[in-house]
Amino acid sequence: MPMIKIRGLNKWFGKLHVLKDIDMDVSPKEVVVVIGASGSGKSTLLRCVNFLEFAQSGQIYIDGLEANVKSKNLHQVRADVGMVFQHFNLFPHRTVMGNVAEGLTQVKKVPYKEALEQGADLLKKVGLSDKADVYPAMLSGGQKQRVAIARALAMKPKIMLFDEPTSALDPELVGEVLQVMKNLALEGMTMMVVSHEMGFAREVGDRVVYMDEGRIVEEGHPDQIYQNPSHERTKAFLGQIL
Amino acid sequence: MIDLPWDFTAIPRFFPGFYAAALLTLQITFFGILVGLILGLVTGLMRLSKNPLINTPAKAYIWAIRGTPLLLQLMIIYYGLIDLVNIERMPAAIIGLGVHNGAYIAEIFRGAIQSVDRGQREAALSLGMTHVQAMRRIILPQAFKRSVPPLGNQFIIALKDSSLASAIAVRELLLRARQMGSSTLMMLEMLMIVGIYYLIMTSVLNLLMGRIEKRLQVSDYQD
C-alpha cells in the first residue's frame, strides 16, 4: 500500500489552474524528488499533501486513509506528515529546544521532562546539541533548517515533506542540511522533496518527478531523468538548471 | 520687573491637594485599559474571522466607536441611559473609556496578528496543532510583542482621555483643577498643577512600556 496516494488532483488559485489531474504514489521508505520550474505547481502539490492547501477535486490518501478539507481530524493527519519549509518558519519566540519540544508537549501531550529528553536526542541527531538554549535569530540558515527538521521529526511522522529546503541557504551551508536529509533517507524515511539538488537526488533519491505547468511530465530513476530524459521539456529544463 | 497676575508659589503649596484626584485618574485609566484590552482582544479576533456573523458585529462596533467622540460616548452612558440603568459616575467613566479603547486596541491586535508571517501558522499546523493551538501558542505571543509599542501609545492617549470623565462629574484631576481654580481664583496655577501630574504619569507610563518592550526583545538578538 502506498504511503501517499494522489488521484486526479486539480487545484486552482482563482482562474489559475496550478495542478492538473495529478496521479502519484509514494511507497513506504521511498524518496521522491520533485523538480520543475517555478510556477510548475511542485510546491503546491507538496502543500496539498500536508493540507496547507486544499485541492478542488481529487483524492489524497495518507497511509491508506483519505483526508480532505472536510476531515475533522486534519490536525492529526498533519501530525503524521512532517513539513520542512524553504524559509524554515522556526518559532522566533521559542528557543531551539522550545521549537523542537512544542509539538511533543502540545500535540502529543508528552510530559515536559520527557519532551526535553526526546528533544535532546533529536538535536544530537542534527548536530546541534550545543544550541538547545539559544533563540533561532542567533543561528545560521543551515542551523535553522536543521532545527526545523528536528522539530518535524519530533512528531515521529510517517512522511517527511521538504519544500525547497536549501534554496534560501548560502551555498556553503547547503551541505550540512543535505547531509541530515541523506541520513534520514538512509534510515528509511518516506520523503517527498521539492529540490533541484541533483547530487542529493542521485545519491538517495529513488525517483525524480518532473513537473511543468501543473502536470507530471516525466518520472523515473534519477540517473535516467538527469542523463537521458525522454521529453523535450525535461531536457530544456535540465539544460537551464544544470 | 513686571508684576505678573499669577502666583506660581501656589503650585507647590496646592500640589499635594490633588493626590486623591490623581488616584481617581489612575483608577479610571487602569480599569478602562483593562476593559479595553479584553474587549480589544475579543473584537480583534472576531474581526479576523472569515464568518460574517462573527466579523460584522466587530466591524460595526469599531466603526461606531471610532466614528464618534469619547465625550459623546461618556454622556450617552451616564446621562443617556439613565432611564434604562443608573450607572454610577466611576463605573460609567471606566466603561466609557474601556469601550472606547477596546475599538482602538482591537485594531492594534488585528494589525499585529496579521503582521505575523503566515509561515508561522503553517509551521504550527504542520506539527499537528489545531487552529486554536496555533493562535494561542505561536501567533498571539508574537503578535502581543509587536503590539507593545502601539499599545503604549494608546495607553497614554487613554490616560489623557480620562480627563473627559470630568464632564460626567468624576472628580478626577481636571475637574478638581477647575473647582480649585474657581475657589482660589488661581485658575492657571491649578491647571498647571494638573499638567505636571499628567506629565509625571505619562512619563512613568512611557518608561514602563519601554521596559516591557526591552524585556520582550530577548529572542531578537542577532549574533
Side-chain angles (χ1 to χ4, degrees):
Chain A
M1 188 174 62
M3 191 60 98
I4 306 171
K5 183 169 136 186
I6 301 169
R7 286 294 175 271
L9 207 68
N10 278 283
K11 166 81 184 162
W12 285 265
F13 286 122
K15 280 184 181 163
L16 196 65
H17 197 175
V18 283
L19 293 178
K20 298 168 185 163
D21 297 316
I22 301 286
D23 291 318
M24 190 173 177
D25 286 334
V26 179
S27 305
K29 302 195 177 186
E30 194 181 13
V31 176
V32 175
V33 178
V34 185
I35 60 173
S38 74
S40 62
K42 54 194 194 308
S43 285
T44 306
L45 177 62
L46 208 66
R47 291 162 60 81
C48 282
V49 174
N50 203 15
F51 305 97
L52 291 175
E53 304 283 356
F54 294 101
Q56 277 87 354
S57 73
Q59 294 87 41
I60 297 176
Y61 303 83
I62 302 295
D63 201 13
L65 295 174
E66 189 183 356
N68 55 45
V69 67
K70 293 188 198 105
S71 306
K72 290 270 178 273
N73 63 337
L74 263 188
H75 58 282
Q76 286 158 347
V77 178
R78 288 201 193 95
D80 281 339
V81 184
M83 178 97 169
V84 174
F85 301 87
Q86 181 178 1
H87 296 290
F88 330 124
N89 298 353
L90 291 180
F91 306 135
H93 58 305
R94 297 259 197 278
T95 61
V96 164
M97 179 58 91
N99 268 272
V100 178
E102 182 71 15
L104 287 170
T105 57
Q106 298 304 308
V107 179
K108 294 226 155 180
K109 310 290 180 197
V110 172
Y112 186 63
K113 223 183 125 197
E114 207 183 309
L116 290 186
E117 286 166 16
Q118 291 187 32
D121 287 344
L122 285 160
L123 288 178
K124 199 172 156 195
K125 188 170 180 167
V126 297
L128 289 170
S129 297
D130 54 329
K131 300 289 185 192
D133 297 324
V134 309
Y135 285 96
M138 296 182 69
L139 301 178
S140 74
Q143 291 170 330
K144 282 181 191 167
Q145 197 58 299
R146 285 187 282 152
V147 173
I149 293 172
R151 176 177 69 178
L153 288 178
M155 305 309 293
K156 298 198 176 67
K158 295 173 181 167
I159 302 160
M160 282 287 281
L161 307 175
F162 293 84
D163 188 5
E164 307 206 28
T166 57
S167 303
L169 298 179
D170 291 335
E172 77 271 20
L173 302 174
V174 169
E176 59 190 70
V177 172
L178 288 180
Q179 191 54 50
V180 170
M181 290 169 62
K182 281 177 199 168
N183 293 344
L184 209 54
L186 295 174
E187 282 170 22
M189 176 63 77
T190 308
M191 292 164 67
M192 200 168 153
V193 183
V194 170
S195 170
H196 293 157
E197 294 291 339
M198 190 175 62
F200 171 82
R202 296 186 72 163
E203 209 172 317
V204 296
D206 297 302
R207 184 157 45 114
V208 170
V209 172
Y210 170 64
M211 286 183 70
D212 188 40
E213 291 180 356
R215 287 183 204 282
I216 294 177
V217 173
E218 180 171 4
E219 55 186 312
H221 191 272
D223 292 337
Q224 182 248 312
I225 296 284
Y226 286 116
Q227 282 169 347
N228 192 17
S230 45
H231 276 78
E232 280 307 316
R233 279 189 287 178
T234 319
K235 270 180 210 162
F237 172 72
L238 289 171
Q240 280 166 9
I241 63 159
L242 298 181
Chain B
M1 229 175 94
I2 309 164
D3 203 17
L4 291 171
W6 303 301
D7 174 16
F8 290 119
T9 61
I11 291 177
R13 264 188 292 130
F14 283 92
F15 196 84
F18 284 77
Y19 279 162
L23 206 64
L24 270 186
T25 288
L26 280 177
Q27 279 172 355
I28 302 167
T29 308
F30 179 81
F31 290 108
I33 286 173
L34 207 63
V35 172
L37 279 172
I38 295 164
L39 271 175
L41 181 58
V42 173
T43 315
L45 287 172
M46 284 172 66
R47 174 87 170 69
L48 283 169
S49 165
K50 288 193 183 92
N51 184 342
L53 284 176
I54 297 174
N55 69 41
T56 308
K59 280 182 191 166
Y61 160 63
I62 293 168
W63 169 75
I65 294 297
R66 293 207 308 178
T68 55
L70 172 56
L71 189 53
L72 174 70
Q73 292 158 13
L74 286 170
M75 299 231 163
I76 287 175
I77 291 171
Y78 186 62
Y79 297 116
L81 297 182
I82 199 131
D83 295 329
L84 186 68
V85 272
N86 190 0
I87 307 173
E88 293 292 316
R89 2 179 138 161
M90 264 304 269
I94 289 167
I95 293 168
L97 202 66
V99 169
H100 183 79
N101 276 278
Y104 287 91
I105 292 171
E107 289 292 87
I108 291 173
F109 281 151
R110 178 175 73 98
I113 289 169
Q114 283 178 327
S115 78
V116 175
D117 183 70
R118 74 176 188 152
Q120 290 293 308
R121 175 194 176 77
E122 291 180 352
L125 291 182
S126 78
L127 285 178
M129 289 192 184
T130 61
H131 289 273
V132 174
Q133 280 178 319
M135 185 56 91
R136 190 171 54 85
R137 300 275 309 175
I138 305 302
I139 298 169
L140 282 184
Q142 297 182 56
F144 281 141
K145 193 167 134 178
R146 285 177 206 196
S147 24
V148 169
L151 278 180
N153 209 20
Q154 190 60 38
F155 293 169
I156 285 173
I157 294 173
L159 176 64
K160 294 186 293 181
D161 278 355
S162 70
S163 60
L164 289 168
S166 60
I168 56 168
V170 177
R171 294 185 65 186
E172 46 65 71
L173 280 171
L174 189 63
L175 185 55
R176 174 80 178 149
R178 284 172 51 200
Q179 290 174 342
M180 290 289 285
S182 310
S183 60
T184 59
L185 298 177
M186 292 190 287
M187 189 55 89
L188 181 69
E189 294 85 333
M190 297 304 138
L191 289 173
M192 283 182 75
I193 288 174
V194 165
I196 294 167
Y197 268 99
Y198 278 117
L199 275 173
I200 292 170
M201 291 192 291
T202 49
S203 302
V204 170
L205 193 53
N206 236 334
L207 225 67
L208 227 64
M209 295 308 287
R211 284 259 175 93
I212 294 173
E213 221 173 299
K214 262 229 171 83
R215 278 193 65 164
L216 287 172
Q217 271 166 3
V218 276
S219 59
D220 289 345
Y221 293 131
Q222 299 271 354
D223 307 76

